[in-house]
Amino acid sequence: MNTALTTEPSTDELCCEPSGRPVLSAVDAQDKARILKALSDPNRLRLLSIVKAGDTGGSCVCDLTEPLDLGQPTVSHHLKILVDAGLLEREKRGTWAYYSLVPGALETASASLLAL
Amino acid sequence: MNTALTTEPSTDELCCEPSGRPVLSAVDAQDKARILKALSDPNRLRLLSIVKAGDTGGSCVCDLTEPLDLGQPTVSHHLKILVDAGLLEREKRGTWAYYSLVPGALETASASLLAL
DNA sequence: CCGCCATATCGACAATTGTCAATCTATGGG
DNA sequence: CCCATAGATTGACAATTGTCGATATGGCGG
């Protein structure tokens, strides 16, 4: 990208370099922060952990409510946040809703931290 | 742990398995969430990005305030959150404070996502 | 010694978030 | 056709968070 500088190191003040690097843009930052915000709640981390440990068919809400000691609406709320963040996907089978990890989503989130 | 069942697959309802897996404990979840919460703000992500892109001596606050378009107290506040989360370290030289990445901290956070 | 400068801290405020109780929707069984 | 059940949605509320202005602290130059 932009290489800039190199000619004049400093003029009067030299607290630090005059910046202008290809740092994370405001848009990219907000994008990554949206995913990380979904991951920044302990109960949501536990939800992901339970879903990940579950079988490939997905976990239903009834199995996710008890171990978290939270009300059913609260669990539904957290699941929606995780789905909106692209971390979980929902599939309805009969009366029940099954949640499963979106393949590669956690890896992407993980990589976005290293790519800061 | 408990193996249970095996003899009787189900009695009346068979929505899903009765759980009981070694999922993320509440304590571990809160621990990981603390780090991820520090990473869940776009301005803090940009701070980290700028510090990471800066030279090895660390970046001073004066260089971090302008590109973010935030007030100086706000930047100081975010930096404190990042230091408390163990992601940045602060070193004061003269009048200026220099911030640098804690080696391996981002890698640890990244790995904690994959280890869910 | 005095005042400027960089940074941290404090107090306040609006916005967001996590939680629950109550209600709504939809599916399946009698 | 009506009821029971799984799950989502709504509304409310307390707690937390991001931001700013004002002020405190601490080092450096005159």
Side-chain angles (χ1 to χ4, degrees):
Chain A
M1 292 300 166
N2 103 29
T3 44
L5 46 93
T6 59
T7 41
E8 299 270 19
S10 75
T11 51
D12 39 308
E13 306 250 336
L14 72 157
C15 150
C16 348
E17 326 247 296
S19 75
R21 307 293 194 86
V23 295
L24 197 60
S25 76
V27 177
D28 286 350
Q30 195 147 16
D31 220 43
K32 293 188 178 188
R34 255 191 55 249
I35 312 290
L36 290 168
K37 190 166 289 191
L39 289 164
S40 70
D41 179 88
N43 286 319
R44 286 198 287 272
L45 290 180
R46 300 188 74 191
L47 282 175
L48 286 173
S49 172
I50 295 171
V51 170
K52 188 179 185 185
D55 57 36
T56 53
S59 312
C60 74
V61 179
C62 69
D63 231 21
L64 299 171
T65 305
E66 298 174 18
L68 260 64
D69 201 39
L70 287 178
Q72 173 264 318
T74 302
V75 173
S76 248
H77 172 71
H78 285 310
L79 288 170
K80 179 176 168 55
I81 289 176
L82 290 170
V83 170
D84 287 349
L87 295 163
L88 287 185
E89 53 195 359
R90 191 181 99 109
E91 182 202 1
K92 187 155 189 188
R93 288 203 299 268
T95 313
W96 296 285
Y98 290 84
Y99 287 87
S100 51
L101 280 182
V102 169
L106 280 177
E107 287 78 3
T108 300
S110 167
S112 79
L113 286 183
L114 298 178
L116 276 185
Chain B
M1 289 300 166
N2 102 31
T3 43
L5 44 97
T6 58
T7 41
E8 300 269 20
S10 74
T11 50
D12 37 310
E13 308 250 333
L14 73 157
C15 150
C16 351
E17 327 245 296
S19 78
R21 307 293 193 88
V23 296
L24 197 60
S25 76
V27 177
D28 287 349
Q30 195 148 14
D31 220 43
K32 294 188 177 188
R34 253 192 56 249
I35 312 290
L36 290 168
K37 191 167 289 190
L39 290 164
S40 69
D41 180 88
N43 287 318
R44 286 198 287 272
L45 290 181
R46 299 187 75 191
L47 283 175
L48 286 173
S49 171
I50 296 171
V51 169
K52 188 179 184 184
D55 57 36
T56 54
S59 313
C60 75
V61 179
C62 68
D63 232 21
L64 298 172
T65 305
E66 298 174 18
L68 260 63
D69 199 40
L70 287 178
Q72 172 265 318
T74 303
V75 173
S76 248
H77 172 71
H78 284 311
L79 288 170
K80 180 176 168 53
I81 288 176
L82 290 170
V83 169
D84 287 349
L87 295 163
L88 287 185
E89 51 195 0
R90 191 182 99 109
E91 183 202 0
K92 189 155 189 185
R93 288 203 299 269
T95 312
W96 294 285
Y98 291 84
Y99 287 86
S100 52
L101 280 182
V102 169
L106 280 176
E107 287 78 3
T108 300
S110 168
S112 79
L113 286 182
L114 299 177
L116 277 184

